[in-house]
């Protein structure tokens, strides 16, 4: 099963929350302390192999067939959008064709959490109803300066049927989990 499933993901959220940094960390495992603001949107791709949950795998015969059955090859196609208001009208071009949207805020910036809720409302009105949603609280390395607690983020994510995860693009903490959880939530074709 070498079929590659294409999973389109869009990152949305206020400027400066770390959308580009999350993409860069996931795709190249780098971090830039002084990254430049994204203009319009940028595109990145990365392929990963993820194990599938398979609770009924006892009947499979050889080790080989177990491996084949229990994995998915995912080709992420990631749209990293610009957060600025002037690019807002472009967002539907990116989220309409996507399987998942990652809504990012900065755990030290309440304004970015409010902005995330605006994005969620827009998606609820205009995006396909099966769009997988993830609320991502980034900059977990700045936990000491946190102004939105985890419970608040989780509760909000629950209220919009989204997954919730906290990440640090700087440390790399949970960045891979973020994308892998997204892939697991997107049903195979
Ligand atoms: P974007 O506008 O949402 O794409 O945000 P950027 O990825 O350009 O990041 C904005 C700023 O926050 C940059 O200076 C990044 O280096 C910084 N940044 C991004 N992610 C993190 C993080 O997890 N922790 C910390 N401390 N800084 C971060
Ligand atoms: Mg950016």
């Amino acid at each position: 099963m070498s079929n590659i499933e294409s999973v389109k993901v869009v990152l949305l959220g206020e400027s400066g929350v770390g959308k580009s940094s999350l993409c860069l960390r996931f795709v190249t495992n780098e971090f830039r302390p002084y990254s430049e603001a994204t203009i319009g949107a940028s595109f990145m791709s990365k392929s990963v192999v993820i194990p599938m949950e398979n609770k009924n795998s006892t009947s499979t015969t050889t080790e080989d067939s177990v491996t084949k059955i229990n994995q998915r090859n995912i080709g992420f196609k990631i749209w990293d959008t610009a957060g600025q208001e002037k690019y807002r009208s472009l967002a539907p071009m990116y989220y309409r064709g996507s399987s998942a949207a990652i809504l990012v805020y900065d755990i030290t910036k309440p304004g970015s959490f409010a902005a995330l809720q605006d994005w969620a409302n827009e998606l609820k009105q205009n995006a396909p109803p099966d769009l997988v949603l993830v609320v991502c609280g980034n900059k977990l390395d700045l936990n000491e300066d946190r102004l939105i607690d985890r419970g608040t983020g989780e509760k909000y994510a629950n209220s919009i049927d989204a997954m919730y995860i906290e990440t640090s693009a700087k440390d790399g903490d949970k960045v891979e989990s973020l994308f892998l959880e997204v892939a697991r939530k997107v049903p195979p074709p």
Side-chain angles (χ1 to χ4, degrees):
M1 285 229 298
S2 60
N3 292 3
I4 295 185
E5 293 172 38
S6 169
V7 171
K8 292 185 190 162
V9 182
V10 63
L11 283 92
L12 298 167
E14 194 173 73
S15 191
V17 296
K19 299 178 297 298
S20 299
S21 300
L22 287 166
C23 293
L24 192 69
R25 173 60 80 188
F26 178 59
V27 174
T28 69
N29 204 20
E30 290 171 277
F31 177 73
R32 298 193 188 135
Y34 308 103
S35 71
E36 284 174 22
T38 308
I39 299 182
S42 86
F43 177 79
M44 275 177 268
S45 58
K46 173 165 173 154
S47 296
V48 295
V49 174
I50 58 164
M52 283 229 277
E53 291 166 36
N54 192 340
K55 288 166 190 133
N56 307 314
S57 60
T58 43
S59 62
T60 45
T61 47
T62 67
E63 290 239 348
D64 251 10
S65 67
V66 170
T67 319
K68 278 178 193 158
I69 289 163
N70 288 336
Q71 69 182 39
R72 288 168 71 189
N73 297 311
I74 307 282
F76 280 106
K77 300 196 172 357
I78 307 165
W79 280 106
D80 168 26
T81 64
Q84 294 102 315
E85 199 59 40
K86 61 181 166 178
Y87 298 119
R88 203 175 175 101
S89 60
L90 299 179
M93 285 204 311
Y94 303 109
Y95 65 67
R96 284 205 184 114
S98 294
S99 319
I102 301 175
L103 302 172
V104 187
Y105 72 99
D106 173 343
I107 62 164
T108 72
K109 295 233 159 60
S112 73
F113 188 59
L116 178 150
Q117 296 177 35
D118 290 341
W119 279 114
N121 291 336
E122 173 166 347
L123 292 179
K124 287 287 170 193
Q125 278 172 26
N126 301 317
D130 57 352
L131 184 71
V132 169
L133 291 184
V134 186
V135 171
C136 172
N138 188 41
K139 309 203 184 180
L140 189 52
D141 56 289
L142 303 179
N143 201 26
E144 287 181 0
D145 305 320
R146 178 198 283 273
L147 290 175
I148 306 285
D149 52 58
R150 187 183 281 264
T152 305
E154 273 172 355
K155 202 170 155 194
Y156 179 70
N158 265 329
S159 77
I160 58 164
D161 291 321
M163 289 188 286
Y164 183 75
I165 191 160
E166 293 189 345
T167 55
S168 166
K170 185 176 180 185
D171 295 349
D173 200 9
K174 292 287 194 325
V175 177
E176 196 162 73
S177 317
L178 166 67
F179 286 91
L180 297 189
E181 285 303 314
V182 165
R184 287 198 187 93
K185 274 273 178 162
V186 173

